[in-house]
Amino acid sequence: MSVLEARGVSKSFGRHQVLAGVDLAVAAGEMTAVVGENGSGKSTLLRILAGDLRPDAGLVLAQGRVGYCPQATVLDDALTVDQHIRSFQAAYRIRGTERAGALIDRLGYGEFRHQAAGTLSGGTRQKLSLTLALLHQPAVLLLDEPYQGFDWETYLAFWELAGELRAAGTATLVITHLVFEQKRFDRVWHLAAGRIAETEASHAPTA
């Protein structure tokens, strides 16, 4: 059963059509990817799926909470890591800090909890953004190149976490341009010239 669907999604910027009737669906517990060249519209599609951008035509259907981790992190540079966590917890009425602490430890940036986001490295900002996207235990997780700036250890920790989310039933869609990662996904779509088509992918992904 699909928990995320795009039906006939189109988007233009001026005279340039970026998306031309995109259809896709992601089921619970499915790890999927959208690949394509730079400028192909991958991030535009993800913003529309996340509800951050309105399509010109078509619709998006999502069941349950959606977590969104954009490529360009959206953080308040004046707030510390812990202040971001507390603000997000208050907004979603999340009880306790156990999940936040576990994610911070898992991604290896606990030493920066009291540091302002504006002073963090790009990789650490991405870790915080991913933590925030996962705090409310979303049914659908949308990730735009989520591991950019990660060191190798964190990169491996990310994929281990992704495997656990899949096993727990989270539907995950990842934007990526790295061809060698495609074996990790249940399904892969290729986006080009505004249109999307499913390609072959391994059905036994490596966590």
Side-chain angles (χ1 to χ4, degrees):
M1 179 180 177
S2 297
V3 293
L4 175 68
E5 289 187 52
R7 300 178 182 174
V9 169
S10 296
K11 184 66 181 179
S12 296
F13 295 101
R15 296 182 178 180
H16 177 53
Q17 187 171 41
V18 179
L19 303 173
V22 168
D23 297 303
L24 62 80
V26 185
E30 192 172 34
M31 174 76 72
T32 61
V34 174
V35 300
E37 301 294 331
N38 290 336
S40 63
K42 301 187 304 297
S43 294
T44 297
L45 174 60
L46 206 68
R47 289 182 62 195
I48 291 172
L49 295 175
D52 187 48
L53 181 66
R54 185 186 298 273
D56 297 332
L59 74 160
V60 173
L61 303 173
Q63 298 184 25
R65 289 177 169 176
V66 176
Y68 175 42
C69 185
Q71 185 175 13
T73 57
V74 182
L75 302 172
D76 187 329
D77 287 348
L79 297 182
T80 67
V81 169
D82 276 350
Q83 287 171 335
H84 276 93
I85 298 295
R86 288 196 294 271
S87 295
F88 199 91
Q89 286 180 315
Y92 281 89
R93 299 180 180 179
I94 300 170
R95 294 182 179 180
T97 60
E98 293 81 5
R99 182 167 176 78
L103 288 167
I104 290 172
D105 290 344
R106 187 74 169 273
L107 295 172
Y109 68 109
E111 64 190 285
F112 303 110
R113 293 186 68 152
H114 304 294
Q115 194 165 317
T119 67
L120 299 175
S121 68
T124 303
R125 288 172 65 89
Q126 196 68 22
K127 293 177 186 180
L128 175 56
S129 183
L130 179 58
T131 299
L132 295 175
L134 288 169
L135 263 192
H136 60 317
Q137 297 183 310
V140 177
L141 182 61
L142 305 173
L143 306 173
D144 193 347
E145 302 281 4
Y147 27 71
Q148 283 211 112
F150 285 0
D151 57 34
W152 182 245
E153 184 176 349
T154 306
Y155 176 83
L156 295 177
F158 165 79
W159 284 112
E160 183 180 4
L161 177 59
E164 293 172 7
L165 291 169
R166 178 198 288 116
T170 304
T172 305
L173 190 150
V174 179
I175 295 295
T176 183
H177 68 281
L178 300 178
V179 176
F180 68 85
E181 287 175 344
Q182 293 184 28
K183 65 183 180 182
R184 297 182 179 272
F185 299 99
D186 299 305
R187 286 197 290 164
V188 175
W189 288 280
H190 184 256
L191 183 62
R195 300 189 180 279
I196 199 166
E198 188 173 348
T199 65
E200 292 185 3
S202 169
H203 289 271
T206 303

